[in-house]
Amino acid sequence: MNLHSTLHEIRQVLKDSIDERILSSEKKYFKEEIKIYGVDTATVGRIGKLFYQSIKDRPKQDIFELCEELWKSGFMEEAFIACNFSYCVSKKYEPSDFLIFERWIDNYVTNWATCDTMCNHTIGAFVTMYPDYIAELKSWAKSANRWMRRASAVSLIVPAKKGFFLADLFEIADILLVDSDDLVQKGYGWMLKVASVPHREPVYDYVISRKAVMPRTALRYAIEKMPADMKAEAMKK
């Protein structure tokens, strides 16, 4: 099956899977305009897995070309499938792939859901393989693009769960500390929250030392998994 026909078939299966209730309810979770078919996330995941079986033996470059076409459509479900495909080839990542991933985020990500799906899996796996590229995430944290800034933090969610890269994530949190965008605040707050499970005391000390300037949205996220006494101290004005 060539890539064009695969793309056509994916779109046809998505159209056949539309649920009008999803179409009407999904948009309430987003402040920005979103473009969706109206297919529930679990079904999109199954569609992605099904089609990956038909392309898994293709060269990685072919799979990335298919991802690009899916991203270009602007449909959230197609972006989720692109994220599925790009993560499925994670064992084949090379340093040069970073520029492709960066371009997808900068050009095609338009909401928190596609940002987080791409970053938690594809970018998280990439920087775990190639930690030197965390320096690039620090550059993203200074971007004019809100989704690049959120991406700089949420790309470290999965590594942070494993206790990795604590000094780096503090550095990224410092860059984003007083960002006025609530979705960026929630992104780095989430990163700190996840890091607080393996590193409770250092994350608590970080929050306490910056709570005078840290937006309350980020602070609440960061302390969510801490004991009640620590939360109370962190929330004191």
Side-chain angles (χ1 to χ4, degrees):
M1 189 187 295
N2 66 41
L3 294 181
H4 182 75
S5 59
T6 302
L7 189 63
H8 176 76
E9 283 200 24
I10 290 170
R11 288 172 174 163
Q12 190 55 55
V13 173
L14 285 169
K15 287 171 188 170
D16 292 342
S17 306
I18 289 171
D19 181 333
E20 292 298 333
R21 289 169 304 174
I22 300 284
L23 197 55
S24 57
S25 67
E26 191 75 7
K27 295 185 178 184
K28 71 184 178 192
Y29 299 108
F30 301 87
K31 291 179 184 175
E32 49 286 324
E33 195 63 37
I34 60 165
K35 187 177 173 185
I36 59 172
Y37 287 94
V39 182
D40 72 85
T41 308
T43 301
V44 174
R46 285 195 293 273
I47 293 168
K49 284 180 183 172
L50 174 71
F51 277 96
Y52 184 69
Q53 291 307 306
S54 69
I55 63 169
K56 65 181 181 181
D57 296 325
R58 301 292 292 259
K60 182 183 66 176
Q61 196 52 46
D62 286 0
I63 293 172
F64 282 174
E65 283 176 26
L66 182 56
C67 291
E68 182 95 28
E69 292 306 312
L70 290 162
W71 275 112
K72 276 182 187 174
S73 75
F75 278 100
M76 192 156 71
E77 293 93 340
E78 292 194 33
F80 287 160
I81 292 171
C83 294
N84 178 310
F85 290 170
S86 62
Y87 180 59
C88 281
V89 296
S90 59
K91 289 181 179 170
K92 299 177 183 175
Y93 289 165
E94 302 165 88
S96 57
D97 295 331
F98 186 82
L99 289 176
I100 297 170
F101 302 152
E102 181 176 60
R103 184 166 48 77
W104 290 348
I105 295 169
D106 203 19
N107 292 343
Y108 303 131
V109 166
T110 56
N111 60 72
W112 60 262
T114 53
C115 180
D116 297 357
T117 305
M118 177 66 186
C119 294
N120 283 179
H121 304 294
T122 296
I123 307 295
F126 181 91
V127 296
T128 302
M129 287 174 78
Y130 301 108
D132 287 353
Y133 279 81
I134 293 174
E136 299 299 321
L137 301 188
K138 293 168 190 174
S139 298
W140 292 6
K142 299 169 186 172
S143 172
N145 181 340
R146 69 191 299 206
W147 304 118
M148 293 292 284
R149 299 200 307 280
R150 182 176 171 98
S152 70
V154 298
S155 292
L156 292 182
I157 296 291
V158 175
K161 280 182 184 173
K162 299 171 183 172
F164 298 163
F165 310 136
L166 186 66
D168 293 302
L169 69 84
F170 282 155
E171 205 174 318
I172 287 170
D174 271 344
I175 298 168
L176 301 173
L177 191 64
V178 294
D179 199 295
S180 60
D181 191 307
D182 70 318
L183 287 171
V184 176
Q185 293 169 17
K186 289 173 182 176
Y188 88 77
W190 179 23
M191 174 182 70
L192 291 170
K193 172 174 70 177
V194 168
S196 77
V197 177
H199 297 293
R200 182 191 291 167
E201 292 295 338
V203 174
Y204 178 71
D205 292 346
Y206 176 89
V207 170
I208 291 294
S209 69
R210 287 154 178 80
K211 70 173 191 169
V213 293
M214 185 183 285
R216 302 297 272 186
T217 297
L219 192 150
R220 286 191 192 95
Y221 266 72
I223 64 174
E224 198 174 300
K225 289 186 177 287
M226 293 185 184
D229 59 329
M230 284 180 151
K231 284 184 185 176
E233 188 61 37
M235 290 299 290
K236 279 183 188 173
K237 292 282 189 183

